[in-house]
Amino acid sequence: MQRTEMKRTGGFFKDMLEGLKSSVGLSQSVKHESEIEETLQREHFQALKTVRHGFPFLPTAVAFDPIQRILAIGTRTGSLKILGKPGVECHVHHLVDLAVIQIVFLVNEGALISVCSDDTLHLWNLRQKRPEILHSLKFQRERITYCHLPFQSKWLYIGTERGNVYTLNVESFVLSGYVIHWNKAIKISQKTHPGCVVHLSENPVDANKMLSEKIMPSTTLPPSQCGILAI
C-alpha cells in the first residue's frame, strides 16, 4: 500500500516538474520574440517581372524579316515581342494600350514599323539591346487599312478605308504630297466606290506599277476588286 502511494506521489511530482519546465521555456521564447525589433517595411519590397515565357497573349499582327530571320508579334494590348535566333528575345510596349493591327519590317535594316488601331505609325530601332521608338506619326486623314513597303524602298504605301493610297518617307517619317486616289485605279465607266484597301504589292516585272486589292462595301457587288496603280 505504501509503495503504491509513493509511486503515485512520484508520478505526480514528475508531471508537475515537466509542466514547470515547459511553462518556463514558453515564457522565455515569448520574451525572446518580443525583444526582436521588426525593421522590414512594405516599401522595402517591390515585385518585378524578370522573364516572359511563351507565346504573347491576344496576338493581332505578325511579321517576319527573312534575311535577319526575326519574328515580330503584336498584341491587342500594344505589346511587341521580337524573337530571333536562340537566346534572342525582347518584349517592348507602346506608350498606350492600343491594338497593333500591322507590323512592317524594313528588311535587313534592323527596323520595323508598327501600326496601331488609333491610326498611329511608329518606327522602331532594333539595332540596340532594347528597341526604342525613333519616330511616330498620327495619320489623321483617313483610317488605315493596309501598309506595304517594297524591298529596299524608302516609300511606305498606306492604304485607307476610302480606297486611297498615301506615301510616307520612312527616312524622314513624313507624309508625301503624292496621293493615289481610288478613282484613278478603276475603269472610267465605273461609278461605284471600290471599297477599302485590303492589300498592296508591287509588280515584280514593272517597278512602276503596284497591285491594289479592295473590298466592296456592298454585298450586292462582287466581293473584291483589283486595280493596277501607276507609281
Side-chain angles (χ1 to χ4, degrees):
M1 186 72 178
Q2 293 179 355
R3 291 183 179 179
T4 304
E5 292 179 356
M6 291 178 64
K7 188 175 182 180
R8 290 178 179 175
T9 306
F12 172 76
F13 283 112
K14 183 178 180 181
D15 294 339
M16 186 177 64
L17 288 174
E18 289 180 354
L20 288 173
K21 289 180 180 180
S22 62
S23 62
V24 171
L26 179 61
S27 62
Q28 288 179 351
S29 63
V30 172
K31 183 179 180 181
H32 289 313
E33 289 180 359
S34 63
E35 290 177 354
I36 298 176
E37 184 180 355
E38 185 64 58
T39 58
L40 297 178
Q41 303 296 330
R42 180 180 297 179
E43 55 270 16
H44 296 157
F45 300 89
Q46 185 178 6
L48 296 175
K49 292 181 180 180
T50 57
V51 65
R52 292 178 182 266
H53 181 70
F55 199 82
F57 183 59
L58 298 174
T60 52
V62 64
F64 182 68
D65 186 331
I67 297 179
Q68 296 189 351
R69 302 188 65 81
I70 300 175
L71 179 70
I73 305 170
T75 71
R76 190 184 298 177
T77 57
S79 296
L80 276 177
K81 188 160 189 177
I82 301 168
L83 302 168
K85 61 183 181 180
V88 177
E89 181 177 335
C90 183
H91 184 276
V92 292
H93 198 280
H94 290 83
L95 298 178
V96 290
D97 296 338
L98 294 172
V100 180
I101 61 174
Q102 190 178 355
I103 302 172
V104 181
F105 267 103
L106 280 67
V107 177
N108 200 31
E109 294 186 22
L112 64 80
I113 296 173
S114 61
V115 186
C116 293
S117 58
D118 65 340
D119 300 312
T120 302
L121 299 99
H122 305 277
L123 176 63
W124 292 81
N125 180 18
L126 307 181
R127 291 174 291 184
Q128 54 192 41
K129 188 174 182 180
R130 184 168 184 80
E132 292 182 352
I133 296 177
L134 294 179
H135 301 286
S136 294
L137 176 68
K138 175 68 174 178
F139 195 81
Q140 298 178 336
R141 301 185 181 184
E142 301 173 35
R143 298 302 305 271
I144 298 175
T145 55
Y146 191 83
C147 295
H148 174 67
L149 179 66
F151 180 58
Q152 293 183 338
S153 173
K154 66 177 182 178
W155 297 105
L156 175 73
Y157 295 92
I158 304 173
T160 68
E161 64 177 355
R162 297 181 183 175
N164 302 320
V165 178
Y166 296 82
T167 53
L168 172 72
N169 188 305
V170 296
E171 296 177 351
S172 61
F173 224 64
V174 175
L175 277 174
S176 167
Y178 179 66
V179 182
I180 305 173
H181 294 282
W182 66 271
N183 54 359
K184 301 297 182 182
I186 62 175
K187 296 179 181 179
I188 300 177
S189 59
Q190 183 176 343
K191 302 300 182 180
T192 57
H193 193 283
C196 64
V197 178
V198 296
H199 183 77
L200 292 167
S201 60
E202 68 272 19
N203 190 323
V205 179
D206 189 351
N208 294 319
K209 293 182 179 180
M210 176 174 290
L211 175 68
S212 172
E213 184 178 359
K214 302 173 183 180
I215 294 292
M216 295 292 188
S218 174
T219 56
T220 60
L221 300 174
S224 64
Q225 176 175 330
C226 295
I228 302 298
L229 309 180
I231 59 176

